Amino acid sequence: MKRLKKFFKWVFILLIVSVIGFYVTGYGYILKGVWVVYLHGHTTAYIDDFKFFEVEEIPASINPQPWPIHKDYNTVEATKALSEMNDTLGTVSFLIIKNDSIWYEKYFDGFSKNSQTNSFSMAKSITSALLGKAIDDGFIKSLEQPVGDFYPQYAGTGMTVGDLSSMASGLDWDESYSNPFGMTARAYYDSDLAETILKLKVVDTPGVRYKYLSGNTELLAMVIQKSIQRASINLSGYLQDSFWQPMGFEQPAIWQIDDDENRLVKAYCCLGSNARDFARFGKLYKDYGKWNGQQILDSAFVAKSIKPRFAESAEYGYGFWLSDFMGKKIFAMRGILGQYVIVVPEDDLIIVRLGHQRGNKTDLPFSSDFYVYVDEVYKMLEQNQ
């Protein structure tokens, strides 16, 4: 018994020393990560983990605009392959919008049309839309405006706000999702996100080549935030005024922030909303910035966003992923766990999928699930012809 007590005493002492060590060395955020993830039965970030973070609230529109319901709503069942994929990967929402009307929707695992789930990197597309709006409103001059105009430490680097949106900044961000000591984990779980971002250095020539970095979008958000300061509004408020209200979002949303003191939104991720409301950004870009007759985002900016900036990196534009699958020009918002708003403008089609996991990686720009979702939706539509 004495030996057992001594053993637990030393375990406790070791635990205390370890905790102190994490905080002294600046890695205290790892303990939060362990608590949020592993102690709640997960192995990575998950779609409803926002309950463990501080958030900014974005109210629903005071003039909600519900999606019309298609005359053939839910008359076609999901194909076998789609059903199996949804089951295997833990889909919680699957939505098909045809000709701007909801043609099919299903919810799983206790989720509903009003359930908030984490956007993850789909928020990058929304942050890029806020860039377009800030240019429209005169807060930012153009895509070519230097980042150094807002943060002097980047003066002379040649890095522009457009480079941030198109993932061509040349910054030394490490896009690693498995390293608990890396930048991505720190950005997700630590406080004072700006401190982490402003330590980034330009190590490659900006504007030359594509390299996907979450730090790009966060720095872009900080630039937008700084540009709108004279309007006395923060980024979540700007999102509400610019898009949430005029586009008639039916449900409130939440956007994770770094901490209660700094209140910087995690713009590269972590916007909590639902399938129907996420789909609105697909419609907005499909219609080149026009929403039900009102031009709320410059059409030239939208057109540029959904085309490749670099010929050798045809999978990305400005904030949006691109594909030519099935010979169709497709653009998409996407998140790390298989969150998608997939848009096929030529067929007036929007597909939204939210869920717990994504498919296997491929040699193509998208994981395997993306191609299954698109292919099987077209098979469903063919059944209705």
Side-chain angles (χ1 to χ4, degrees):
M1 182 62 71
K2 288 184 178 180
R3 288 183 178 180
L4 189 60
K5 286 182 178 180
K6 188 175 182 180
F7 170 77
F8 282 115
K9 176 183 176 181
W10 281 108
V11 168
F12 179 74
I13 292 172
L14 181 61
L15 180 62
I16 294 299
V17 170
S18 298
V19 169
I20 294 173
F22 274 121
Y23 280 102
V24 168
T25 57
Y27 291 107
Y29 69 89
I30 292 178
L31 299 176
K32 180 173 182 178
V34 169
W35 177 68
V36 171
V37 177
Y38 295 100
L39 296 185
H40 287 88
H42 298 270
T43 57
T44 186
Y46 44 101
I47 62 174
D48 57 352
D49 64 357
F50 45 76
K51 58 194 171 187
F52 298 110
F53 297 89
E54 297 286 344
V55 298
E56 290 278 5
E57 296 186 359
I58 303 168
S61 175
I62 59 175
N63 295 304
Q65 301 173 40
W67 286 96
I69 302 299
H70 198 281
K71 63 181 179 62
D72 297 321
Y73 174 76
N74 276 3
T75 57
V76 175
E77 293 293 326
T79 65
K80 181 180 179 182
L82 178 58
S83 294
E84 290 177 349
M85 180 67 77
N86 285 335
D87 184 58
T88 300
L89 298 182
T91 294
V92 299
S93 307
F94 200 90
L95 180 65
I96 303 172
I97 296 174
K98 186 76 174 81
N99 299 328
D100 291 340
S101 298
I102 298 178
W103 186 78
Y104 174 91
E105 68 179 333
K106 290 290 183 183
Y107 299 94
F108 311 87
D109 196 23
F111 285 76
S112 73
K113 65 181 183 180
N114 298 330
S115 299
Q116 292 175 332
T117 74
N118 197 329
S119 67
F120 291 109
S121 287
M122 291 202 302
K124 291 181 170 70
S125 304
I126 296 171
T127 301
S128 187
L130 286 170
L131 168 62
K133 191 64 176 174
I135 294 172
D136 286 351
D137 291 340
F139 296 121
I140 293 176
K141 295 175 183 177
S142 70
L143 289 172
E144 286 70 45
Q145 184 165 6
V147 174
D149 287 355
F150 303 92
Y151 289 97
Q153 57 264 58
Y154 296 112
T157 63
M159 181 172 59
T160 68
V161 295
D163 293 335
L164 296 176
S165 176
S166 61
M167 299 291 172
S169 66
L171 290 169
D172 61 346
W173 176 272
D174 178 21
E175 192 74 14
S176 171
Y177 299 100
S178 58
N179 179 9
F181 298 96
M183 296 178 184
T184 305
R186 180 182 291 276
Y188 200 81
Y189 296 107
D190 204 3
S191 58
D192 198 356
L193 179 52
E195 181 182 30
T196 298
I197 297 299
L198 293 177
K199 288 179 180 177
L200 297 174
K201 307 294 183 184
V202 176
V203 294
D204 293 313
T205 304
V208 172
R209 64 182 61 87
Y210 160 86
K211 186 178 181 181
Y212 185 87
L213 305 174
S214 291
N216 288 339
T217 308
E218 193 58 43
L219 181 54
L220 176 60
M222 292 166 59
V223 165
I224 301 169
Q225 177 73 70
K226 198 166 236 190
S227 79
I228 63 176
Q229 279 182 344
R230 64 179 182 268
S232 301
I233 190 171
N234 62 15
L235 207 62
S236 60
Y238 195 49
L239 175 60
Q240 178 187 348
D241 293 347
S242 301
F243 299 115
W244 232 257
Q245 288 298 329
M247 290 167 58
F249 281 73
E250 293 185 83
Q251 299 296 324
I254 54 175
W255 209 345
Q256 283 186 30
I257 56 176
D258 55 354
D259 59 67
D260 195 44
E261 178 182 356
N262 296 288
R263 306 198 71 81
L264 175 62
V265 295
K266 298 176 185 176
Y268 67 94
C269 72
C270 313
L271 183 66
S273 189
N274 59 81
R276 287 188 175 193
D277 278 345
F278 280 135
R280 294 176 191 273
F281 283 98
K283 172 177 163 59
L284 178 68
Y285 272 68
K286 173 179 66 70
D287 295 339
Y288 290 92
K290 187 172 288 188
W291 184 266
N292 294 341
Q294 178 185 4
Q295 195 76 43
I296 64 173
L297 192 60
D298 179 60
S299 60
F301 175 84
V302 173
K304 195 178 188 73
S305 298
I306 56 177
K307 292 179 182 177
R309 181 181 181 185
F310 304 105
E312 65 274 18
S313 301
E315 71 271 26
Y316 207 79
Y318 287 79
F320 283 83
W321 290 90
L322 311 172
S323 173
D324 61 357
F325 181 55
M326 297 177 63
K328 299 180 182 294
K329 291 189 180 298
I330 300 171
F331 66 86
M333 302 161 58
R334 89 179 195 192
I336 192 171
L337 298 183
Q339 289 71 36
Y340 294 107
V341 174
I342 302 167
V343 185
V344 190
E346 65 191 81
D347 293 324
D348 207 349
L349 177 66
I350 302 171
I351 305 165
V352 183
R353 186 273 179 181
L354 307 174
H356 294 289
Q357 299 178 58
R358 68 177 178 186
N360 297 322
K361 289 185 177 181
T362 69
D363 293 331
L364 299 171
F366 290 84
S367 53
S368 59
D369 51 330
F370 169 87
Y371 303 103
V372 172
Y373 296 143
V374 175
D375 192 21
E376 297 307 312
V377 164
Y378 271 96
K379 290 177 182 178
M380 291 172 65
L381 291 169
E382 288 170 2
Q383 295 179 40
N384 201 47
Q385 294 178 352

